[in-house]
PDB file of all heavy atoms in Angstrom:
ATOM      1  N   ALA A   1     120.714 -68.689  16.248  1.00  0.00           N
ATOM      2  CA  ALA A   1     121.239 -69.021  14.926  1.00  0.00           C
ATOM      3  C   ALA A   1     122.597 -68.381  14.667  1.00  0.00           C
ATOM      4  O   ALA A   1     123.325 -68.802  13.766  1.00  0.00           O
ATOM      5  CB  ALA A   1     120.245 -68.585  13.853  1.00  0.00           C
ATOM      6  N   GLU A   2     122.950 -67.379  15.433  1.00  0.00           N
ATOM      7  CA  GLU A   2     124.188 -66.634  15.210  1.00  0.00           C
ATOM      8  C   GLU A   2     124.814 -66.313  16.553  1.00  0.00           C
ATOM      9  O   GLU A   2     124.110 -66.002  17.523  1.00  0.00           O
ATOM     10  CB  GLU A   2     123.883 -65.342  14.442  1.00  0.00           C
ATOM     11  CG  GLU A   2     125.103 -64.524  14.082  1.00  0.00           C
ATOM     12  CD  GLU A   2     124.738 -63.246  13.329  1.00  0.00           C
ATOM     13  OE1 GLU A   2     123.726 -62.624  13.684  1.00  0.00           O
ATOM     14  OE2 GLU A   2     125.474 -62.890  12.393  1.00  0.00           O
ATOM     15  N   SER A   3     126.124 -66.391  16.632  1.00  0.00           N
ATOM     16  CA  SER A   3     126.795 -66.091  17.891  1.00  0.00           C
ATOM     17  C   SER A   3     126.639 -64.620  18.244  1.00  0.00           C
ATOM     18  O   SER A   3     126.471 -63.758  17.372  1.00  0.00           O
ATOM     19  CB  SER A   3     128.289 -66.438  17.804  1.00  0.00           C
ATOM     20  OG  SER A   3     128.981 -65.468  17.046  1.00  0.00           O
ATOM     21  N   GLY A   4     126.714 -64.347  19.528  1.00  0.00           N
ATOM     22  CA  GLY A   4     126.661 -62.962  19.977  1.00  0.00           C
ATOM     23  C   GLY A   4     127.844 -62.164  19.476  1.00  0.00           C
ATOM     24  O   GLY A   4     127.734 -60.958  19.214  1.00  0.00           O
ATOM     25  N   LEU A   5     128.991 -62.823  19.322  1.00  0.00           N
ATOM     26  CA  LEU A   5     130.183 -62.111  18.854  1.00  0.00           C
ATOM     27  C   LEU A   5     130.007 -61.603  17.431  1.00  0.00           C
ATOM     28  O   LEU A   5     130.446 -60.501  17.092  1.00  0.00           O
ATOM     29  CB  LEU A   5     131.405 -63.026  18.937  1.00  0.00           C
ATOM     30  CG  LEU A   5     131.779 -63.487  20.340  1.00  0.00           C
ATOM     31  CD1 LEU A   5     133.041 -64.329  20.303  1.00  0.00           C
ATOM     32  CD2 LEU A   5     131.968 -62.296  21.270  1.00  0.00           C
ATOM     33  N   ALA A   6     129.363 -62.402  16.574  1.00  0.00           N
ATOM     34  CA  ALA A   6     129.098 -61.955  15.204  1.00  0.00           C
ATOM     35  C   ALA A   6     128.207 -60.720  15.225  1.00  0.00           C
ATOM     36  O   ALA A   6     128.436 -59.747  14.499  1.00  0.00           O
ATOM     37  CB  ALA A   6     128.445 -63.076  14.403  1.00  0.00           C
ATOM     38  N   ARG A   7     127.198 -60.748  16.093  1.00  0.00           N
ATOM     39  CA  ARG A   7     126.312 -59.591  16.214  1.00  0.00           C
ATOM     40  C   ARG A   7     127.059 -58.388  16.775  1.00  0.00           C
ATOM     41  O   ARG A   7     126.809 -57.240  16.373  1.00  0.00           O
ATOM     42  CB  ARG A   7     125.122 -59.931  17.104  1.00  0.00           C
ATOM     43  CG  ARG A   7     124.164 -60.953  16.516  1.00  0.00           C
ATOM     44  CD  ARG A   7     122.928 -61.141  17.384  1.00  0.00           C
ATOM     45  NE  ARG A   7     123.222 -61.755  18.674  1.00  0.00           N
ATOM     46  CZ  ARG A   7     123.164 -61.124  19.835  1.00  0.00           C
ATOM     47  NH1 ARG A   7     122.820 -59.840  19.883  1.00  0.00           N
ATOM     48  NH2 ARG A   7     123.436 -61.758  20.969  1.00  0.00           N
ATOM     49  N   LEU A   8     127.978 -58.655  17.687  1.00  0.00           N
ATOM     50  CA  LEU A   8     128.724 -57.576  18.324  1.00  0.00           C
ATOM     51  C   LEU A   8     129.619 -56.845  17.322  1.00  0.00           C
ATOM     52  O   LEU A   8     129.635 -55.607  17.260  1.00  0.00           O
ATOM     53  CB  LEU A   8     129.567 -58.130  19.473  1.00  0.00           C
ATOM     54  CG  LEU A   8     130.425 -57.128  20.245  1.00  0.00           C
ATOM     55  CD1 LEU A   8     129.553 -56.088  20.918  1.00  0.00           C
ATOM     56  CD2 LEU A   8     131.287 -57.846  21.270  1.00  0.00           C
ATOM     57  N   VAL A   9     130.373 -57.593  16.534  1.00  0.00           N
ATOM     58  CA  VAL A   9     131.264 -56.972  15.557  1.00  0.00           C
ATOM     59  C   VAL A   9     130.446 -56.226  14.505  1.00  0.00           C
ATOM     60  O   VAL A   9     130.795 -55.125  14.083  1.00  0.00           O
ATOM     61  CB  VAL A   9     132.186 -58.016  14.909  1.00  0.00           C
ATOM     62  CG1 VAL A   9     133.053 -57.374  13.832  1.00  0.00           C
ATOM     63  CG2 VAL A   9     133.079 -58.672  15.964  1.00  0.00           C
ATOM     64  N   ARG A  10     129.342 -56.820  14.089  1.00  0.00           N
ATOM     65  CA  ARG A  10     128.480 -56.163  13.105  1.00  0.00           C
ATOM     66  C   ARG A  10     127.904 -54.870  13.680  1.00  0.00           C
ATOM     67  O   ARG A  10     127.816 -53.848  12.994  1.00  0.00           O
ATOM     68  CB  ARG A  10     127.366 -57.103  12.670  1.00  0.00           C
ATOM     69  CG  ARG A  10     126.572 -56.613  11.464  1.00  0.00           C
ATOM     70  CD  ARG A  10     125.592 -57.654  10.969  1.00  0.00           C
ATOM     71  NE  ARG A  10     126.269 -58.862  10.523  1.00  0.00           N
ATOM     72  CZ  ARG A  10     126.189 -60.034  11.144  1.00  0.00           C
ATOM     73  NH1 ARG A  10     125.450 -60.164  12.223  1.00  0.00           N
ATOM     74  NH2 ARG A  10     126.825 -61.072  10.671  1.00  0.00           N
ATOM     75  N   ALA A  11     127.515 -54.903  14.950  1.00  0.00           N
ATOM     76  CA  ALA A  11     126.983 -53.702  15.591  1.00  0.00           C
ATOM     77  C   ALA A  11     128.047 -52.605  15.676  1.00  0.00           C
ATOM     78  O   ALA A  11     127.743 -51.422  15.530  1.00  0.00           O
ATOM     79  CB  ALA A  11     126.465 -54.044  16.993  1.00  0.00           C
ATOM     80  N   THR A  12     129.299 -53.001  15.907  1.00  0.00           N
ATOM     81  CA  THR A  12     130.394 -52.036  15.934  1.00  0.00           C
ATOM     82  C   THR A  12     130.574 -51.385  14.572  1.00  0.00           C
ATOM     83  O   THR A  12     130.771 -50.167  14.455  1.00  0.00           O
ATOM     84  CB  THR A  12     131.706 -52.718  16.362  1.00  0.00           C
ATOM     85  OG1 THR A  12     131.527 -53.343  17.634  1.00  0.00           O
ATOM     86  CG2 THR A  12     132.844 -51.714  16.449  1.00  0.00           C
ATOM     87  N   TYR A  13     130.488 -52.196  13.528  1.00  0.00           N
ATOM     88  CA  TYR A  13     130.580 -51.680  12.159  1.00  0.00           C
ATOM     89  C   TYR A  13     129.491 -50.653  11.904  1.00  0.00           C
ATOM     90  O   TYR A  13     129.733 -49.561  11.375  1.00  0.00           O
ATOM     91  CB  TYR A  13     130.435 -52.849  11.181  1.00  0.00           C
ATOM     92  CG  TYR A  13     131.600 -53.012  10.232  1.00  0.00           C
ATOM     93  CD1 TYR A  13     132.908 -53.048  10.711  1.00  0.00           C
ATOM     94  CD2 TYR A  13     131.404 -53.148   8.864  1.00  0.00           C
ATOM     95  CE1 TYR A  13     133.967 -53.217   9.860  1.00  0.00           C
ATOM     96  CE2 TYR A  13     132.462 -53.317   8.000  1.00  0.00           C
ATOM     97  CZ  TYR A  13     133.744 -53.348   8.501  1.00  0.00           C
ATOM     98  OH  TYR A  13     134.795 -53.495   7.647  1.00  0.00           O
ATOM     99  N   GLU A  14     128.254 -50.997  12.272  1.00  0.00           N
ATOM    100  CA  GLU A  14     127.118 -50.103  12.057  1.00  0.00           C
ATOM    101  C   GLU A  14     127.269 -48.830  12.886  1.00  0.00           C
ATOM    102  O   GLU A  14     126.929 -47.728  12.434  1.00  0.00           O
ATOM    103  CB  GLU A  14     125.813 -50.816  12.401  1.00  0.00           C
ATOM    104  CG  GLU A  14     125.480 -51.969  11.462  1.00  0.00           C
ATOM    105  CD  GLU A  14     124.287 -52.779  11.940  1.00  0.00           C
ATOM    106  OE1 GLU A  14     123.735 -52.438  13.020  1.00  0.00           O
ATOM    107  OE2 GLU A  14     123.907 -53.734  11.245  1.00  0.00           O
ATOM    108  N   LEU A  15     127.768 -48.977  14.104  1.00  0.00           N
ATOM    109  CA  LEU A  15     127.967 -47.836  14.988  1.00  0.00           C
ATOM    110  C   LEU A  15     128.864 -46.788  14.343  1.00  0.00           C
ATOM    111  O   LEU A  15     128.623 -45.581  14.446  1.00  0.00           O
ATOM    112  CB  LEU A  15     128.585 -48.319  16.307  1.00  0.00           C
ATOM    113  CG  LEU A  15     128.905 -47.263  17.359  1.00  0.00           C
ATOM    114  CD1 LEU A  15     127.616 -46.769  18.007  1.00  0.00           C
ATOM    115  CD2 LEU A  15     129.844 -47.846  18.416  1.00  0.00           C
ATOM    116  N   LEU A  16     129.894 -47.236  13.651  1.00  0.00           N
ATOM    117  CA  LEU A  16     130.869 -46.341  13.034  1.00  0.00           C
ATOM    118  C   LEU A  16     130.502 -45.957  11.607  1.00  0.00           C
ATOM    119  O   LEU A  16     131.262 -45.256  10.937  1.00  0.00           O
ATOM    120  CB  LEU A  16     132.256 -46.993  13.061  1.00  0.00           C
ATOM    121  CG  LEU A  16     132.861 -47.163  14.454  1.00  0.00           C
ATOM    122  CD1 LEU A  16     134.091 -48.047  14.408  1.00  0.00           C
ATOM    123  CD2 LEU A  16     133.207 -45.800  15.050  1.00  0.00           C
ATOM    124  N   GLY A  17     129.334 -46.415  11.133  1.00  0.00           N
ATOM    125  CA  GLY A  17     128.898 -46.060   9.786  1.00  0.00           C
ATOM    126  C   GLY A  17     129.775 -46.664   8.703  1.00  0.00           C
ATOM    127  O   GLY A  17     130.060 -46.018   7.684  1.00  0.00           O
ATOM    128  N   LEU A  18     130.196 -47.918   8.909  1.00  0.00           N
ATOM    129  CA  LEU A  18     131.111 -48.565   7.981  1.00  0.00           C
ATOM    130  C   LEU A  18     130.381 -49.535   7.067  1.00  0.00           C
ATOM    131  O   LEU A  18     129.296 -50.011   7.370  1.00  0.00           O
ATOM    132  CB  LEU A  18     132.193 -49.323   8.751  1.00  0.00           C
ATOM    133  CG  LEU A  18     133.022 -48.488   9.727  1.00  0.00           C
ATOM    134  CD1 LEU A  18     133.967 -49.375  10.519  1.00  0.00           C
ATOM    135  CD2 LEU A  18     133.802 -47.407   8.990  1.00  0.00           C
ATOM    136  N   GLN A  19     130.987 -49.821   5.939  1.00  0.00           N
ATOM    137  CA  GLN A  19     130.506 -50.877   5.062  1.00  0.00           C
ATOM    138  C   GLN A  19     131.702 -51.520   4.379  1.00  0.00           C
ATOM    139  O   GLN A  19     132.836 -51.064   4.511  1.00  0.00           O
ATOM    140  CB  GLN A  19     129.503 -50.349   4.032  1.00  0.00           C
ATOM    141  CG  GLN A  19     130.083 -49.439   2.975  1.00  0.00           C
ATOM    142  CD  GLN A  19     129.010 -48.889   2.045  1.00  0.00           C
ATOM    143  OE1 GLN A  19     127.957 -48.419   2.480  1.00  0.00           O
ATOM    144  NE2 GLN A  19     129.278 -48.921   0.746  1.00  0.00           N
ATOM    145  N   THR A  20     131.438 -52.596   3.633  1.00  0.00           N
ATOM    146  CA  THR A  20     132.494 -53.411   3.045  1.00  0.00           C
ATOM    147  C   THR A  20     132.339 -53.473   1.537  1.00  0.00           C
ATOM    148  O   THR A  20     131.232 -53.487   1.008  1.00  0.00           O
ATOM    149  CB  THR A  20     132.426 -54.839   3.613  1.00  0.00           C
ATOM    150  OG1 THR A  20     132.627 -54.775   5.036  1.00  0.00           O
ATOM    151  CG2 THR A  20     133.491 -55.739   3.020  1.00  0.00           C
ATOM    152  N   TYR A  21     133.474 -53.474   0.837  1.00  0.00           N
ATOM    153  CA  TYR A  21     133.478 -53.873  -0.573  1.00  0.00           C
ATOM    154  C   TYR A  21     134.582 -54.906  -0.754  1.00  0.00           C
ATOM    155  O   TYR A  21     135.383 -55.151   0.159  1.00  0.00           O
ATOM    156  CB  TYR A  21     133.650 -52.670  -1.507  1.00  0.00           C
ATOM    157  CG  TYR A  21     135.082 -52.177  -1.661  1.00  0.00           C
ATOM    158  CD1 TYR A  21     135.914 -52.691  -2.651  1.00  0.00           C
ATOM    159  CD2 TYR A  21     135.600 -51.193  -0.825  1.00  0.00           C
ATOM    160  CE1 TYR A  21     137.219 -52.248  -2.799  1.00  0.00           C
ATOM    161  CE2 TYR A  21     136.897 -50.747  -0.962  1.00  0.00           C
ATOM    162  CZ  TYR A  21     137.702 -51.276  -1.951  1.00  0.00           C
ATOM    163  OH  TYR A  21     139.000 -50.847  -2.091  1.00  0.00           O
ATOM    164  N   TYR A  22     134.624 -55.539  -1.945  1.00  0.00           N
ATOM    165  CA  TYR A  22     135.516 -56.684  -2.141  1.00  0.00           C
ATOM    166  C   TYR A  22     136.368 -56.522  -3.397  1.00  0.00           C
ATOM    167  O   TYR A  22     135.961 -55.910  -4.383  1.00  0.00           O
ATOM    168  CB  TYR A  22     134.693 -57.984  -2.266  1.00  0.00           C
ATOM    169  CG  TYR A  22     133.699 -58.166  -1.160  1.00  0.00           C
ATOM    170  CD1 TYR A  22     132.381 -57.731  -1.288  1.00  0.00           C
ATOM    171  CD2 TYR A  22     134.078 -58.748   0.050  1.00  0.00           C
ATOM    172  CE1 TYR A  22     131.466 -57.876  -0.261  1.00  0.00           C
ATOM    173  CE2 TYR A  22     133.168 -58.896   1.086  1.00  0.00           C
ATOM    174  CZ  TYR A  22     131.862 -58.452   0.924  1.00  0.00           C
ATOM    175  OH  TYR A  22     130.958 -58.588   1.939  1.00  0.00           O
ATOM    176  N   THR A  23     137.561 -57.104  -3.309  1.00  0.00           N
ATOM    177  CA  THR A  23     138.367 -57.376  -4.500  1.00  0.00           C
ATOM    178  C   THR A  23     138.608 -58.881  -4.537  1.00  0.00           C
ATOM    179  O   THR A  23     138.684 -59.528  -3.483  1.00  0.00           O
ATOM    180  CB  THR A  23     139.718 -56.619  -4.468  1.00  0.00           C
ATOM    181  OG1 THR A  23     140.420 -56.942  -3.249  1.00  0.00           O
ATOM    182  CG2 THR A  23     139.501 -55.117  -4.534  1.00  0.00           C
ATOM    183  N   ALA A  24     138.698 -59.424  -5.729  1.00  0.00           N
ATOM    184  CA  ALA A  24     138.835 -60.884  -5.851  1.00  0.00           C
ATOM    185  C   ALA A  24     139.737 -61.239  -7.017  1.00  0.00           C
ATOM    186  O   ALA A  24     139.606 -60.684  -8.110  1.00  0.00           O
ATOM    187  CB  ALA A  24     137.456 -61.524  -6.051  1.00  0.00           C
ATOM    188  N   GLY A  25     140.671 -62.151  -6.751  1.00  0.00           N
ATOM    189  CA  GLY A  25     141.585 -62.611  -7.787  1.00  0.00           C
ATOM    190  C   GLY A  25     142.274 -63.880  -7.333  1.00  0.00           C
ATOM    191  O   GLY A  25     141.990 -64.405  -6.246  1.00  0.00           O
ATOM    192  N   PRO A  26     143.196 -64.410  -8.125  1.00  0.00           N
ATOM    193  CA  PRO A  26     143.844 -65.678  -7.789  1.00  0.00           C
ATOM    194  C   PRO A  26     144.697 -65.620  -6.519  1.00  0.00           C
ATOM    195  O   PRO A  26     144.884 -66.633  -5.851  1.00  0.00           O
ATOM    196  CB  PRO A  26     144.709 -65.978  -9.018  1.00  0.00           C
ATOM    197  CG  PRO A  26     144.860 -64.663  -9.728  1.00  0.00           C
ATOM    198  CD  PRO A  26     143.622 -63.891  -9.445  1.00  0.00           C
ATOM    199  N   LYS A  27     145.220 -64.461  -6.157  1.00  0.00           N
ATOM    200  CA  LYS A  27     146.055 -64.348  -4.962  1.00  0.00           C
ATOM    201  C   LYS A  27     145.225 -64.235  -3.687  1.00  0.00           C
ATOM    202  O   LYS A  27     145.569 -64.850  -2.670  1.00  0.00           O
ATOM    203  CB  LYS A  27     146.997 -63.147  -5.079  1.00  0.00           C
ATOM    204  CG  LYS A  27     148.099 -63.318  -6.116  1.00  0.00           C
ATOM    205  CD  LYS A  27     149.051 -62.142  -6.068  1.00  0.00           C
ATOM    206  CE  LYS A  27     150.194 -62.329  -7.067  1.00  0.00           C
ATOM    207  NZ  LYS A  27     151.154 -61.192  -7.037  1.00  0.00           N
ATOM    208  N   GLU A  28     144.164 -63.442  -3.737  1.00  0.00           N
ATOM    209  CA  GLU A  28     143.354 -63.264  -2.533  1.00  0.00           C
ATOM    210  C   GLU A  28     141.970 -62.737  -2.864  1.00  0.00           C
ATOM    211  O   GLU A  28     141.771 -62.055  -3.877  1.00  0.00           O
ATOM    212  CB  GLU A  28     144.035 -62.318  -1.547  1.00  0.00           C
ATOM    213  CG  GLU A  28     144.128 -60.885  -2.033  1.00  0.00           C
ATOM    214  CD  GLU A  28     144.795 -59.941  -1.044  1.00  0.00           C
ATOM    215  OE1 GLU A  28     145.699 -60.389  -0.300  1.00  0.00           O
ATOM    216  OE2 GLU A  28     144.428 -58.745  -1.034  1.00  0.00           O
ATOM    217  N   ILE A  29     141.041 -63.091  -2.005  1.00  0.00           N
ATOM    218  CA  ILE A  29     139.723 -62.463  -1.968  1.00  0.00           C
ATOM    219  C   ILE A  29     139.702 -61.659  -0.685  1.00  0.00           C
ATOM    220  O   ILE A  29     139.946 -62.198   0.397  1.00  0.00           O
ATOM    221  CB  ILE A  29     138.600 -63.513  -1.967  1.00  0.00           C
ATOM    222  CG1 ILE A  29     138.621 -64.310  -3.270  1.00  0.00           C
ATOM    223  CG2 ILE A  29     137.237 -62.850  -1.767  1.00  0.00           C
ATOM    224  CD1 ILE A  29     137.755 -65.555  -3.234  1.00  0.00           C
TER     225      ILE A  29
END
């Protein structure tokens, strides 16, 4: 259901203890 590359990048994020937050407006999300 998901490419290995998506899992790979996500695993790298988890490995480094990272997470994401967002900003959103008319110029960019």
